[in-house]
Amino acid sequence: MAMSPGPRYSGVVFDFFGVLTWNMVEVISAFEDREKVARGTFLRGWADPRGQELFRRLELGLITQTEWNEGYGALIGVVPHDLMARYLHDAFPAHEVLKVARQARSAGIKTAVLSNSLGREPYDPYAGFDLRGTFDEVVLSAEHGIRKPDPAAFRLVLDKLGVSAERCVFVDDGEDNLAAAHRLGMTPLLALDERVAARRLRDMLGLPDL
């Protein structure tokens, strides 16, 4: 008697910003409108080599969030005080994706967050998400000194989950990160709209619609 194959995937790893939160383009646009600066100001700073270096150093835990506030505020011409909190003011939970994450875990699929972290003091962007209670593993870049798209970051989270790359889905809103995960054998899922991402992920994982 032929046996039916088991589920294709036994793990799923989620990016945090823009996947478990609202779309970051919308978050940034709202920030610029509140600050009364031209649309595109924040992303021009991000594209600047100085901005890239500030983010890199923050994500690796080499500078504090306060130091990032000062450097990035000067770069884009805004008041630095509590800049991270002002920037991420509208990074509200993406409830549809979080619902699928909880559903997957309940179905026995290992779940993790892999985030290029932005510091936790003085503003903690993870507060209120209960990541440790929702996911099997939470890997924040600054705590390990590695960041996406470094392959070591993906290997670390896979090792923690005890899941092979070929049996794991990786959900992110950044194409560089998705490409890096794919090169290791993970199945990438681009998440720009939470409802679309939630529906596609349920299909991939064989989960029923709720």
Side-chain angles (χ1 to χ4, degrees):
M1 183 178 187
M3 302 237 349
S4 60
R8 179 180 175 187
Y9 299 107
S10 53
V12 55
V13 176
F14 298 84
D15 175 36
F16 181 76
F17 298 105
V19 173
L20 301 181
T21 74
W22 282 13
N23 180 284
M24 290 305 293
V25 173
E26 297 174 4
V27 170
I28 290 168
S29 294
F31 162 77
E32 291 169 336
D33 291 347
R34 282 194 309 275
E35 298 286 320
K36 296 181 171 53
V37 298
R39 289 281 183 98
T41 297
F42 190 94
L43 289 178
R44 279 194 295 273
W46 180 86
D48 187 297
R50 294 168 294 175
Q52 290 278 304
E53 181 64 6
L54 283 165
F55 268 101
R56 186 190 72 83
R57 291 176 63 80
L58 178 64
E59 291 167 358
L60 291 174
L62 300 176
I63 60 173
T64 65
Q65 190 183 98
T66 298
E67 290 171 319
W68 180 90
N69 287 344
E70 293 169 354
Y72 208 79
L75 181 61
I76 65 173
V78 300
V79 174
H81 177 70
D82 218 14
L83 177 56
M84 186 65 73
R86 287 159 35 220
Y87 155 44
L88 295 176
H89 180 272
D90 290 318
F92 301 116
H95 291 292
E96 294 300 317
V97 177
L98 285 161
K99 188 186 301 182
V100 179
R102 288 189 288 268
Q103 185 183 4
R105 192 180 188 193
S106 295
I109 297 169
K110 295 288 188 179
T111 63
V113 174
L114 177 61
S115 175
N116 282 353
S117 48
L118 300 180
R120 306 193 76 161
E121 293 181 353
Y123 176 71
D124 185 356
Y126 305 105
F129 280 80
D130 187 26
L131 295 183
R132 303 285 179 187
T134 302
F135 297 87
D136 293 296
E137 297 290 344
V138 178
V139 176
L140 306 182
S141 61
E143 294 178 358
H144 300 276
I146 50 175
R147 63 195 280 271
K148 298 174 294 183
D150 187 334
F154 300 101
R155 294 192 186 101
L156 174 62
V157 74
L158 289 169
D159 287 346
K160 284 181 171 291
L161 284 180
V163 175
S164 69
E166 292 74 18
R167 298 267 291 163
C168 192
V169 178
F170 176 64
V171 190
D172 202 293
D173 63 339
E175 293 185 1
D176 288 347
N177 296 332
L178 291 166
H182 182 62
R183 285 192 291 271
L184 290 176
M186 302 174 80
T187 298
L189 174 58
L190 178 64
L192 298 178
D193 178 283
E194 67 173 289
R195 288 179 176 82
V196 173
R199 183 174 65 251
R200 292 186 61 195
L201 188 56
R202 277 199 183 94
D203 289 344
M204 295 170 72
L205 299 178
L207 299 172
D209 193 12
L210 295 181

